[in-house]
Amino acid sequence: MQEFLATPFGTLLFTVVAVLVIMVPVLIGVAYLTYAERKVLAAMQLRKGPNIVGPFGLFQPFADAIKLMMKETIVPTGSNRLLFLMAPMLTFALALIAWAVIPFGPGLVLADINVGVLYLFAISSLGVYGIIIAGWASNSKYAFLGALRSAAQMVSYEVSIGFVIITVLLCVGSLNLTEVVLAQQGLWFAIPLFPMFVVFFISALAETNRAPFDLPEGESEIVAGFFVEYSSMSFALFFLGEYANMILMSGMTTILFLGGWLPLWDIAPLNWIPGPIWFALKICLCLFVFLWVRATFPRYRYDQLMRLGWKVFLPFSLLWVVLTAGALMAFGWLPGQT
Amino acid sequence: MIATLAFYAFASVLVASAAMVVTSRNPVHAVLFLILAFFNAAGLFLLAGAEFLAMILVIVYVGAVAVLFLFVVMMLDVNFSEMRSGFVRYLPIGGAVGLVLLAELLMVGAVWSVSPSAPRLIAVPVPGGVTNTEALGRVLYTDYIYLFQAAGIVLLVAMIGAIVLTLRDRPGTKRQDIARQIDRSRRETLDMVNVEVGQGMVVPPKHEPAKQPEHANGNGHHGGGHH
């Protein structure tokens, strides 16, 4: 077995299996996130939500998926055909490849690379391309407006996400995601860096185009924004990509601030639960807040969105980078300092 | 074996997409090919062991610079036939500039020689024991700190220049002052008036002089009954 895995073919096969082991739970998670969203929103609005298909409506995601697959894929006449079809695939693929570096437990990671944090940041900053290309290739006014809004919004909030990541990196002293988690043994970064935690979470909402920052698809003003011309599976890929990105951003929040796979306290009944379960539980908590926020807050106006990003978060996170660096220097807490 | 295959794949796609950047008719396609070229360059960096540079290339060029390129190019209303019309007229001057550049490149290339110690440096991009990022930081913040700071100042100057060039104080724009909106109290915005049935009333003069024409929203409560 060991020798077989060492051969090129064995390595390839092992990688494919490992990729499937990550992808399948993520896709099931995406399917049930759509269900959870409808149920949670329904509960918060005193409704029942989906309850017909299967027990408690549990088969609703599959019914939706089959319905979407049966529909006709419409490519508008004036559109740029190749780019129009490429955009949803790009969005979906980007939402999935980021999972390659996510550590699910001690040693449970597909690619344990030294620059894992930068990889995640790079992938999340590429997400904007699917949206811009979709908006442009559709050759439609509403889609283009949605794409422009989205481009401006995602670029703005990436800046503060970058500063938040720098703050965490200062406390860790490494760009490796496993080491980011291991540095939080004893104290999760959500506590000493609480303001950054909040800034990161709100920026994650903006980065995934979720309410209250869902202006790119603001249905009351630009119909459905950048994917107004999409139907059937090409629409479904955008939809899946958005939800996979939500899970990914929750995973990032968990790794950077909530101690990844680490248990709440390292004591007997809690550390019996395996790391991946803790990781999944923390992701679910973050996702619940995503849905809660959607049910609670009205959509931001565009100038308010820009003001929050550039005039509030950017100076504030910059200040915290300086403060954190200063405190680490002053008290000699810098990691790796001898 | 796999690394060699990957190198040739990245390198050939890089060269092909770079050629497409300058030859493609549609400017949006050109920018997208530019992005593809950036990606493949990042792949080459990865193969050379420079993982930090690869990621920074993707984050800075693909994630930020090219987005703005794409943003601008998509907004342009390019008329392709009009663009091609001046081709013959501008050919001599364009060709002359190209020839001068080519001559300069040839002159540089003719005298360029690779230091004999260079191949060994390429083979070991990282001093043993430290990660790529750390090795880069050790050089950047010690030996090259002044150059690093100078680069930062150049960027800052460019940033301030862009703001100075585009910032205009336009009179008469409506602006929201959130602090002032929150600061308003009921007393200064709302008057409760008992209106006689069948009489109506004239709106009483406001307590404060109407000094805020730029006040964007939320003045709807001024004055009592109109009915």
Side-chain angles (χ1 to χ4, degrees), chain A residues 48-313:
Chain A
K48 277 186 175 165
N51 61 348
I52 301 298
V53 193
F56 307 105
L58 274 172
F59 298 149
Q60 186 69 42
F62 300 103
D64 287 342
I66 292 167
K67 183 195 80 176
L68 277 171
M69 277 185 249
M70 293 297 154
K71 286 191 169 183
E72 182 190 356
T73 305
I74 300 167
V75 181
T77 327
S79 69
N80 188 320
R81 200 181 173 85
L82 182 72
L83 287 179
F84 183 82
L85 293 176
M86 205 183 77
M89 294 182 212
L90 186 70
T91 305
F92 187 61
L94 284 174
L96 290 186
I97 58 172
W99 286 92
V101 296
I102 299 281
F104 296 92
L108 283 180
V109 51
L110 184 64
D112 192 16
I113 59 174
N114 281 326
V115 286
V117 178
L118 286 182
Y119 177 82
L120 277 186
F121 189 56
I123 297 296
S124 73
S125 70
L126 294 182
V128 67
Y129 280 109
I131 294 174
I132 299 191
I133 293 174
W136 183 77
S138 299
N139 201 6
S140 150
K141 297 279 185 296
Y142 288 131
F144 191 59
L145 282 175
L148 288 187
R149 285 182 178 193
S150 157
Q153 171 178 336
M154 289 172 96
V155 169
S156 310
Y157 280 84
E158 244 158 51
V159 184
S160 45
I161 285 191
F163 280 121
V164 174
I165 288 178
I166 288 175
T167 319
V168 173
L169 293 183
L170 281 173
C171 301
V172 179
S174 167
L175 291 161
N176 186 314
L177 285 169
T178 308
E179 285 182 38
V180 171
V181 173
L182 289 178
Q184 301 180 58
Q185 274 167 335
L187 187 63
W188 296 354
F189 287 147
I191 297 163
L193 301 176
F194 184 73
M196 289 286 97
F197 175 51
V198 176
V199 168
F200 184 82
F201 193 79
I202 296 174
S203 302
L205 289 177
E207 191 76 3
T208 46
N209 295 327
R210 287 290 299 180
F213 305 109
D214 54 348
L215 289 111
E217 52 197 77
E219 64 273 8
S220 54
E221 30 192 316
I222 49 174
V223 195
F226 61 90
F227 56 62
V228 65
E229 302 291 344
Y230 283 86
S231 61
S232 177
M233 276 317 280
S234 55
F235 165 76
L237 285 180
F238 271 122
F239 195 67
L240 294 176
E242 181 181 332
Y243 281 82
N245 265 330
M246 276 168 69
I247 304 183
L248 179 71
M249 276 308 198
S250 304
M252 246 174 114
T253 315
T254 308
I255 288 172
L256 292 179
F257 290 102
L258 298 177
W261 69 79
L262 298 173
L264 197 54
W265 288 285
D266 200 8
I267 49 171
L270 287 179
N271 57 20
W272 290 345
I273 304 173
I277 307 270
W278 272 113
F279 189 61
L281 282 176
K282 288 173 187 174
I283 287 185
C284 289
L285 180 74
C286 292
L287 285 174
F288 177 75
V289 182
F290 263 82
L291 305 181
W292 187 10
V293 165
R294 176 173 172 189
T296 310
F297 292 108
R299 183 177 299 138
Y300 260 47
R301 214 172 55 212
Y302 198 70
D303 60 317
Q304 294 171 327
L305 175 94
M306 284 295 150
R307 179 181 171 275
L308 184 71
W310 290 106
K311 293 188 180 172
V312 181
F313 280 1

Side-chain angles (χ1 to χ4, degrees), chain A residues 26-38 57-62 243 247 291:
Chain A
V26 167
L27 289 179
I28 293 176
V30 167
Y32 276 93
L33 180 57
T34 64
Y35 171 78
E37 170 159 48
R38 296 169 71 176
L58 274 172
F59 298 149
Q60 186 69 42
F62 300 103
Y243 281 82
I247 304 183
L291 305 181

Side-chain angles (χ1 to χ4, degrees), chain B:
Chain B
M1 172 63 183
I2 293 177
T4 320
L5 276 180
F7 171 79
Y8 283 112
F10 282 137
S12 53
V13 176
L14 172 59
V15 173
S17 54
M20 289 302 289
V21 174
V22 282
T23 53
S24 60
R25 292 273 169 84
N26 191 331
V28 173
H29 291 177
V31 177
L32 292 176
F33 275 115
L34 183 67
I35 293 162
L36 189 62
F38 283 144
F39 256 113
N40 286 284
L44 288 180
F45 269 130
L46 267 187
L47 285 178
E51 50 200 16
F52 183 77
L53 284 181
M55 292 303 152
I56 291 297
L57 184 72
V58 173
I59 291 171
V60 173
Y61 282 94
V62 183
V65 175
V67 172
L68 298 181
F69 268 27
L70 207 56
F71 206 102
V72 172
V73 166
M74 281 179 177
M75 305 273 271
L76 294 176
D77 191 18
V78 186
N79 188 342
F80 297 109
S81 58
E82 198 176 293
M83 232 167 75
R84 278 197 290 274
S85 66
F87 184 74
V88 180
R89 195 152 58 92
Y90 295 118
L91 188 63
I93 189 158
V97 171
L99 274 180
V100 169
L101 275 178
L102 184 68
E104 281 176 352
L105 278 175
L106 284 177
M107 279 197 286
V108 171
V111 295
W112 190 36
S113 65
V114 179
S115 155
S117 62
R120 269 186 293 122
L121 290 176
I122 293 167
V124 190
V126 173
V130 294
T131 64
N132 201 280
T133 317
E134 206 178 329
L136 211 59
R138 280 187 187 174
V139 183
L140 211 55
Y141 291 102
T142 51
D143 297 349
Y144 298 103
I145 180 68
Y146 294 118
L147 293 176
F148 184 69
Q149 292 291 339
I153 287 173
V154 170
L155 285 176
L156 183 67
V157 168
M159 206 161 88
I160 294 172
I163 294 171
V164 167
L165 285 176
T166 52
L167 186 70
R168 273 171 297 173
D169 194 21
R170 284 176 300 179
T173 46
K174 290 185 174 178
R175 201 159 292 213
Q176 182 185 26
D177 186 346
I178 290 181
R180 204 164 69 194
Q181 280 183 339
I182 296 171
D183 209 34
R184 294 165 84 216
S185 66
R186 192 178 61 184
R187 199 179 308 133
E188 58 195 88
T189 52
L190 192 68
D191 293 319
M192 296 298 286
V193 184
N194 277 325
V195 184
E196 293 285 325
V197 177
Q199 296 285 310
M201 66 168 293
V202 182
V203 177
K206 286 158 188 158
H207 299 308
E208 47 181 348
K211 62 178 176 186
Q212 305 160 340
E214 80 272 26
H215 207 171
N217 42 357
N219 270 345
H221 294 300
H222 257 299
H226 268 275
H227 34 275

